[in-house]
Amino acid sequence: MQTSWVPFFPDSASSFSWQVDWLYFYLILVSVVFTIPIIVAIFIFGLKYRERQKFAVPEGIHGSVVLETVWSIIPFLVSMTIFVGGAYVYYNQYRLPDDGMEIYVVGKQWMWKIQHESGQREINELHVPVDTNIKLTMTTEDAIHSFFVPAFRTKMDAVPGRYTYMWFNATKPGKYQLFCAEYCGLNHSGMIGYVYVMSREDFAAWQSGNVSGQTPTEQGRDLFENKLGCASCHAGGPQQRGAKLEGIFGHEVKLTGGGTVVADEAYIRESILNPGAKVVEGFQPIMPTFKGQVTEEQLLALIAYIKSLSGVTTPAGSSPSGGSSPTTPAANSTAANAANSGKAGQPEAKPSAPGGNSKVK
Ligand code: CUA
């Protein structure tokens, strides 16, 4: 696992990890270049200007424009290179690719629950194909957690009540450590796992070998049509009491009382948990809240379903094809999936479906 040429340095295994490393080494270089001459000068000046006679009168200095200009411009240029380098790395890391394979991550004291668009669920393990843009949509059921994969040089907090995103493109097949990097309670240090980067063939084999339950979209449809009864108001032609959901994702929605909002994950989440917050123009604020009735995973599933109504689909499992021999990481995951179905697979709270009357914004 340790293949880096610097001792104790994590492996470098994502498309942007070298950029972070170069910036890091550059900062060290700048620090060394400034620190060494200063320390040397302390000793030289200490000897050269040591006290030779008591009460000596120092020579007056009346400034030097050249010197002052030089010591202003050089640090300015150095700090600007740090700024430009940092901005470049930041921009690369936090601007999401359009074609990312979507994976949902829910943090919970003290585990990472992961769901693939193709339905597979994992705990504290994440299997991804190599050379593929992976986009994680994350939230948490309780405290703030932070998803950190040192080998990919990326980290993002999972924050209660909102969605955060991160992406990476793993460049080397292998097994990489995954940490929670935000103190989140007693077993924070145990909230660790592995990311398995597999060749596309191996990943396809892993997917087909880990037959999944419902995909998030299917689970969302099931909740929507059956378990939560959303469909009684939100589906069914022009007379429906609830706002139209088809085709809204990623587009602007007009609100009662003026104003618009872009229908993104955060908006859909808010509309389920706090329906009165932003009521769509032309509808009454009659939808009941579903707070406490849906888990974070169910919310993600509902969002996946509503996205699918807008034709927002992700390549997910569909793209990598061709089967071949499963690898060791694949074998490992079976245990996780088994544990999974018992623990996090299904909702903790049984949603009580509200009757088909009233409601909806
Ligand atoms: Cu989760 Cu620390």
Side-chain angles (χ1 to χ4, degrees):
M1 213 169 131
Q2 181 58 258
T3 60
S4 170
W5 52 273
V6 186
F8 307 114
F9 217 67
D11 213 344
S12 174
S14 77
S15 57
F16 47 58
S17 56
W18 65 272
Q19 298 169 354
V20 179
D21 288 355
W22 277 102
L23 185 64
Y24 183 69
F25 292 135
Y26 177 65
L27 289 172
I28 290 176
L29 179 74
V30 169
S31 309
V32 168
V33 164
F34 276 88
T35 306
I36 289 181
I38 288 172
I39 290 175
V40 170
I42 287 173
F43 283 96
I44 292 175
F45 290 172
L47 288 172
K48 190 174 174 193
Y49 298 109
R50 69 186 183 279
E51 191 182 62
R52 289 199 171 88
Q53 60 179 105
K54 286 284 175 198
F55 314 116
V57 180
E59 220 178 291
I61 297 172
H62 301 287
S64 160
V65 174
V66 175
L67 188 63
E68 286 182 23
T69 309
V70 167
W71 79 33
S72 299
I73 287 182
I74 291 178
F76 172 74
L77 292 178
V78 170
S79 54
M80 286 313 286
T81 57
I82 295 171
F83 167 71
V84 170
Y88 180 75
V89 170
Y90 182 87
Y91 185 75
N92 268 329
Q93 279 208 15
Y94 292 101
R95 195 181 44 116
L96 298 168
D98 297 328
D99 60 344
M101 174 189 285
E102 292 239 28
I103 295 176
Y104 299 107
V105 177
V106 177
K108 177 191 160 84
Q109 285 165 327
W110 289 275
M111 64 178 85
W112 292 108
K113 299 191 283 186
I114 288 158
Q115 184 163 21
H116 294 255
E117 277 282 281
S118 44
Q120 286 82 5
R121 290 164 178 275
E122 310 185 68
I123 286 184
N124 293 342
E125 291 196 342
L126 169 59
H127 288 77
V128 293
V130 74
D131 294 328
T132 306
N133 289 341
I134 307 293
K135 179 187 160 205
L136 305 183
T137 300
M138 309 195 290
T139 188
T140 159
E141 288 180 19
D142 35 52
I144 297 179
H145 304 278
S146 186
F147 195 95
F148 179 34
V149 186
F152 299 164
R153 307 287 191 277
T154 189
K155 174 161 74 173
M156 178 54 83
D157 282 4
V159 182
R162 69 162 87 158
Y163 295 114
T164 53
Y165 307 90
M166 74 181 247
W167 81 278
F168 58 83
N169 185 321
T171 51
K172 271 200 297 193
K175 176 182 175 184
Y176 305 103
Q177 278 187 303
L178 158 67
F179 293 101
C180 174
E182 179 73 49
Y183 181 70
C184 54
L186 189 63
N187 292 329
H188 157 71
S189 62
M191 195 167 162
I192 52 177
Y194 289 101
V195 177
Y196 295 94
V197 177
M198 311 164 85
S199 70
R200 285 170 187 242
E201 296 75 38
D202 287 346
F203 183 75
W206 175 81
Q207 267 188 325
S208 56
N210 283 266
V211 180
S212 50
Q214 292 171 312
T215 67
T217 306
E218 287 164 0
Q219 191 196 352
R221 181 190 293 119
D222 189 25
L223 289 164
F224 189 88
E225 291 176 352
N226 308 314
K227 299 197 174 114
L228 296 176
C230 318
S232 63
C233 293
H234 282 288
Q239 261 78 58
Q240 66 186 15
R241 281 164 295 180
K244 181 168 150 287
L245 301 177
E246 290 81 5
I248 61 160
F249 192 82
H251 296 281
E252 281 200 344
V253 173
K254 285 211 175 93
L255 300 177
T256 299
T260 57
V261 64
V262 173
D264 57 5
E265 284 98 345
Y267 169 70
I268 294 170
R269 177 199 169 84
E270 180 185 58
S271 298
I272 296 168
L273 299 179
N274 184 11
K278 297 192 179 77
V279 178
V280 177
E281 189 178 51
F283 292 90
Q284 295 300 310
I286 52 174
M287 172 170 160
T289 175
F290 283 79
K291 209 175 203 144
Q293 299 183 49
V294 283
T295 64
E296 291 296 340
E297 281 146 290
Q298 289 174 323
L299 279 168
L300 283 168
L302 285 165
I303 288 169
Y305 173 61
I306 290 168
K307 275 183 180 175
S308 76
L309 295 178
S310 302
V312 182
T313 50
T314 47
S318 49
S319 50
S321 58
S324 74
S325 55
T327 54
T328 6
N332 275 335
S333 67
T334 328
N337 269 33
N340 207 345
S341 51
K343 269 191 203 151
Q346 281 312 313
E348 285 83 358
K350 282 270 178 292
S352 60
N357 319 317
S358 70
K359 89 209 49 172
V360 189
K361 33 181 279 191

